[in-house]
Structure formats: structure tokens, C-alpha cells
């Protein structure tokens, strides 16, 4: 059971880290789920109230920051709510439509299309698109850092 437990924990950590940049995967929830897998298959003993409080706070911060940082990138470059919505849709759909570059092109095109739909000039729409890509990179960097912190805290608590 211990080997199975560690295998699943590591697999969920890998899926979680990939999910930090690939929005179709569960990301932070995979990492959080790994803690429960460890507990169910190995032991909940190392985890106390402090562990769950810290990890849960990080999960909430990641979820809020994920949307806020991406939206901030669009807003900083002059985008509207339509660009934010379009960017989000593009981020989800892009990787399926354009597998190799959909993570970058999807949010960009989504923001541009969102702006064009509401009648914004091409120049401003392109600027919002650039902001959506930069917001995606910033959001991914924040998620990667915080998810790594979750994993490190896990190993500190377990060992």
C-alpha cells in the first residue's frame, strides 16, 4: 500500500504542476488531493490542523490569484470585461483547437475577439490580447511558485 500511495502522490504532484500552465488539468486540486491519497493509503498522522490550514489557505489564494492576475494583465493593457471573458474562453478552448500553441494563441485571440465584438479599435484589441498573454504568464508563475510551496510543505510535514 505504501508503494501505491507514494506512486499516486507523486503522479498527482506531476499532474498538478502541469496543470499550473495547462488549464484543462486540475492543478492545485490534484496536489491537494495527493494529501488525502497519502492519508488514506499511508497515514493521516503527520497532518495536523496547522498543515490543513496552511494548505487550504494556499489553495484559496491560488484560485483567487489565478483569475485576478490574468484579469489584471488584460485590464493593465486597456482590455474590458469582454476581453477578460474572451481570454478565459480562449485559454480553455485554445489548447484543443491549436494543440501546440493554443495556450498562447487562445487567450490572445479570445481577448481580441472579445474587444472587437464590443466595438473596440483593432489597436486597443491587440493590446488587450498582449495583456492576456502576459497575464497568463504571470498567473502561471504565481501558481507554480505556490504549488511548489505546497509540495515542499507536504514533504517537510511528512519527514
Amino acid at each position: 500500500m505504501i508503494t501505491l500511495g507514494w506512486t499516486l502522490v507523486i503522479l498527482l504532484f506531476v499532474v498538478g504542476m502541469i496543470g499550473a500552465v495547462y488549464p484543462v488539468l486540475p492543478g492545485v486540486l490534484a496536489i491537494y488531493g495527493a494529501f488525502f491519497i497519502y492519508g488514506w493509503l499511508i497515514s493521516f498522522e503527520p497532518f495536523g490542523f496547522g498543515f490543513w490550514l496552511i494548505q487550504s489557505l494556499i489553495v484559496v489564494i491560488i484560485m483567487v490569484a489565478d483569475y485576478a492576475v490574468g484579469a489584471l494583465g488584460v485590464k493593465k493593457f486597456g482590455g474590458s470585461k469582454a476581453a477578460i471573458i474572451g481570454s478565459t474562453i480562449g485559454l480553455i478552448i485554445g489548447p484543443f483547437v491549436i494543440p501546440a500553441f493554443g495556450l498562447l494563441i487562445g487567450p490572445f485571440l479570445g481577448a481580441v475577439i472579445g474587444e472587437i465584438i464590443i466595438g473596440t479599435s483593432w489597436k486597443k484589441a491587440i493590446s488587450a490580447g498582449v495583456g492576456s498573454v502576459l497575464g497568463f504568464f504571470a498567473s502561471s508563475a504565481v501558481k507554480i511558485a505556490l504549488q511548489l510551496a505546497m509540495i515542499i510543505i507536504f514533504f517537510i510535514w511528512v519527514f
Side-chain angles (χ1 to χ4, degrees), residues 52 83 125 128:
W52 291 110

Side-chain angles (χ1 to χ4, degrees), residues 13-29:
F13 284 167
V14 170
V15 167
M17 292 309 294
I18 294 170
V21 292
Y22 197 72
V24 178
L25 296 175
V28 69
L29 297 179

Side-chain angles (χ1 to χ4, degrees), residues 1 7 12 23 25 40 46 58 61 65-66 69 83 90 112-113 123 154:
M1 231 18 148
T7 302
L12 285 170
L25 296 175
W40 289 324
I58 294 173
I61 290 167
D66 187 24
V69 172
V112 170
I113 291 168
K123 184 177 179 182
F154 167 81

Side-chain angles (χ1 to χ4, degrees), residues 18-131:
I18 294 170
V21 292
Y22 197 72
V24 178
L25 296 175
V28 69
L29 297 179
I31 293 171
Y32 199 69
F35 307 150
F36 288 97
I37 295 298
Y38 180 89
W40 289 324
L41 297 180
I42 299 172
S43 173
F44 276 106
E45 186 182 338
F47 309 139
F49 176 77
F51 174 84
W52 291 110
L53 178 65
I54 291 167
Q55 297 290 19
S56 297
L57 285 173
I58 294 173
V59 168
V60 170
I61 290 167
I62 288 173
M63 291 181 157
V64 170
D66 187 24
Y67 176 76
V69 172
L72 184 63
V74 174
K75 281 282 195 195
K76 184 116 174 123
F77 281 74
S80 66
K81 282 188 178 185
I84 294 170
I85 292 168
S87 175
T88 304
I89 292 169
L91 184 62
I92 294 168
I93 295 173
F96 294 110
V97 177
I98 313 166
F101 301 102
L103 281 174
L104 300 176
I105 296 172
F108 176 82
L109 286 177
V112 170
I113 291 168
E115 286 295 317
I116 296 299
I117 286 173
I118 64 167
T120 304
S121 71
W122 274 97
K123 184 177 179 182
K124 193 170 180 182
I126 297 292
S127 180
V130 169

